[in-house]
């Protein structure tokens, strides 16, 4: 047999036998052989089977509610929670205080000075003036009622001033051609009488042209035997302590051309502790009434020609000296 046909015939015979064998009951069915799919390479067909490990996906952990972050939308700020914010205190307008004007100045008035001389032994208050050996100051400058003043014989006087630690002393010789005093108390100036103005603190209110608590106005009445008016002393100012001053010792007597008065005035009346060299604002004056039928102040003469009751800057000076 030709060899070129041997192998094909053999292959056909084998296939025929295999086909018959499948139909015999005593021949078991062969396990089918699965040809690899055509899309695998030859290497992949004969490679050993690799068992793939399972892919483990991480389990998502859900955070607790309290840990959840709050997402803020871009461009939008969280709404602020309103709180009670205290309002700032309302500004109170503060009034700028007006600067206080100072009236302080020198401790002595520059003009019309009288000297009070220290008494080693106080004079007797008996209206004699025999134990007074002091300078006498002329009281004759008309400061009120010039039209009712006819000259020195109508009204004038001489005054002396002394002092010690307890009292201020006055000795006055008054020239008055007609003596009239029918009043008392706060009206005693409407009859023949004396007046003392005393500023106890000149330096603190040197430029103050009005009365205040350290300024005193004191009147002295010689009294009158005819209408039975007793000698007396009255304080007009300060008005808070106005009234009669019974602690003042006075003596008076008449003369043919006028009268004499002595007075011992405690420093306590003026709330003063005196000392050598001390200065006071001071003015001594005399009032006159020549009309017995009318209580009126007709005129006044003073040692200080510019004396004005309500303006202490017009008063003179009293200086206490001790020889």
């Amino acid at each position: 047999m030709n060899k070129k046909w041997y192998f094909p015939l053999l292959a056909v015979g084998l296939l025929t036998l295999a086909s018959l064998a499948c139909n015999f009951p005593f021949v078991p069915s062969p396990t089918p052989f699965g040809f690899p799919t055509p899309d695998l390479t030859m290497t992949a067909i004969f490679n050993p089977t690799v068992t793939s490990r399972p892919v483990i996906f991480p389990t998502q952990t859900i955070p607790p509610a309290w840990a959840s972050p709050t997402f803020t939308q871009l461009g939008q700020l969280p709404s602020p929670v309103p709180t009670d914010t205290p309002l700032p205190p309302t500004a109170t307008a503060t009034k700028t205080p007006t600067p206080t004007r100072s009236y302080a100045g020198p401790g002595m008035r520059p003009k019309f000075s009288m000297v009070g001389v220290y008494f080693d032994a106080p004079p007797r208050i008996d209206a004699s003036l025999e134990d007074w050996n002091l300078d006498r100051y002329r009281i004759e400058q008309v400061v009120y009622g010039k039209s009712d003043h006819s000259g020195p014989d109508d009204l004038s006087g001489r005054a002396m001033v002394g002092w010690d630690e307890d009292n201020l002393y006055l000795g006055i010789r008054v020239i008055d051609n007609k003596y009239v005093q029918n009043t008392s108390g706060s009206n005693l100036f409407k009859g023949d009488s004396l007046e003392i103005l005393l500023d106890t603190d000149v330096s603190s209110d040197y430029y103050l042209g009005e009365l205040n608590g350290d300024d005193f106005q004191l009147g002295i009445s010689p009294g009158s035997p005819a209408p039975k008016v007793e000698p007396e002393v009255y304080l007009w100012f300060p008005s808070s302590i106005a009234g009669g001053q019974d602690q003042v010792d006075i003596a008076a007597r008449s003369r043919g051309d006028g009268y004499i008065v002595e007075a011992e005035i405690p420093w306590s009346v003026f709330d003063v502790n005196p000392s050598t060299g001390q200065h006071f604002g001071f003015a001594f004056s005399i009032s006159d009434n020549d009309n017995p039928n009318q209580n009126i102040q007709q005129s006044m003469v003073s040692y200080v020609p510019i004396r004005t009751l309500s303006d202490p800057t017009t008063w003179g000076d009293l200086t206490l000296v001790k020889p």
Side-chain angles (χ1 to χ4, degrees):
M1 178 177 297
N2 191 354
K3 290 183 178 181
K4 66 178 182 180
W5 298 109
Y6 176 80
F7 288 100
L9 291 175
L10 179 61
V12 170
L14 290 174
L15 289 173
T16 301
L17 289 176
S19 174
L20 292 175
C22 291
N23 295 319
F24 295 144
F26 54 89
V27 179
S29 298
T31 301
F33 175 77
F35 286 93
T37 56
D39 59 341
L40 294 179
T41 63
M42 293 299 293
T43 302
I45 294 174
F46 295 98
N47 274 345
T49 302
V50 178
T51 304
S52 300
R53 295 182 181 180
V55 179
I56 300 175
F57 295 93
T59 303
Q60 181 180 6
T61 302
I62 301 176
W66 55 265
S68 300
T70 301
F71 293 95
T72 302
Q73 184 176 355
L74 294 178
Q76 179 179 359
L77 295 176
S79 300
V81 178
T83 58
D84 293 331
T85 302
L87 294 176
T90 303
T92 303
T94 302
K95 184 178 181 181
T96 303
T98 303
T100 302
R101 178 180 178 182
S102 174
Y103 295 98
M108 175 185 176
R109 296 293 174 193
K111 297 181 180 180
F112 318 116
S113 181
M114 298 176 70
V115 173
V117 180
Y118 184 82
F119 275 117
D120 290 318
R124 294 184 303 273
I125 306 302
D126 57 6
S128 69
L129 301 181
E130 293 178 356
D131 48 0
W132 289 75
N133 186 22
L134 305 178
D135 292 337
R136 300 187 178 198
Y137 296 93
R138 301 170 67 93
I139 315 300
E140 56 188 18
Q141 300 294 325
V142 181
V143 294
Y144 176 77
K146 286 186 177 182
S147 60
D148 289 319
H149 183 264
S150 59
D153 291 339
D154 183 16
L155 181 65
S156 62
R158 304 289 185 272
M160 297 173 287
V161 183
W163 71 283
D164 61 20
E165 288 78 10
D166 300 316
N167 303 294
L168 176 68
Y169 300 98
L170 296 175
I172 302 99
R173 171 77 166 90
V174 178
I175 306 299
D176 186 352
N177 58 10
K178 190 172 186 176
Y179 182 81
V180 175
Q181 177 56 278
N182 300 320
T183 64
S184 62
S186 62
N187 290 319
L188 65 81
F189 73 97
K190 295 179 180 179
D192 293 345
S193 57
L194 315 175
E195 181 199 66
I196 297 168
L197 300 179
L198 189 77
D199 181 355
T200 63
D201 189 2
V202 175
S203 62
S204 67
D205 53 9
Y206 185 87
Y207 298 104
L208 181 62
E210 60 185 41
L211 298 173
N212 64 15
D214 60 34
D215 301 318
F216 293 80
Q217 181 192 20
L218 189 75
I220 300 173
S221 169
S224 177
K228 296 183 179 179
V229 176
E230 296 294 327
E232 66 174 317
V233 176
Y234 190 87
L235 183 70
W236 288 287
F237 206 87
S239 57
S240 59
I241 57 174
Q245 303 296 310
D246 296 336
Q247 68 271 44
V248 178
D249 187 12
I250 58 176
R253 68 182 177 92
S254 63
R255 289 171 53 97
D257 59 353
Y259 56 94
I260 293 174
V261 176
E262 281 184 298
E264 180 184 273
I265 307 169
W267 286 112
S268 59
V269 171
F270 308 114
D271 194 24
V272 165
N273 293 315
S275 61
T276 302
Q278 193 167 1
H279 291 274
F280 302 94
F282 189 73
F284 182 81
S285 307
I286 306 171
S287 291
D288 186 34
N289 179 16
D290 290 335
N291 185 350
N293 300 316
Q294 186 179 11
N295 296 328
I296 186 174
Q297 182 187 34
Q298 291 182 326
S299 64
M300 173 181 275
V301 295
S302 179
Y303 179 70
V304 181
I306 61 173
R307 172 252 182 223
T308 300
L309 168 62
S310 60
D311 185 357
T313 65
T314 66
W315 303 355
D317 171 68
L318 172 64
T319 305
L320 304 184
V321 299
K322 189 173 184 179

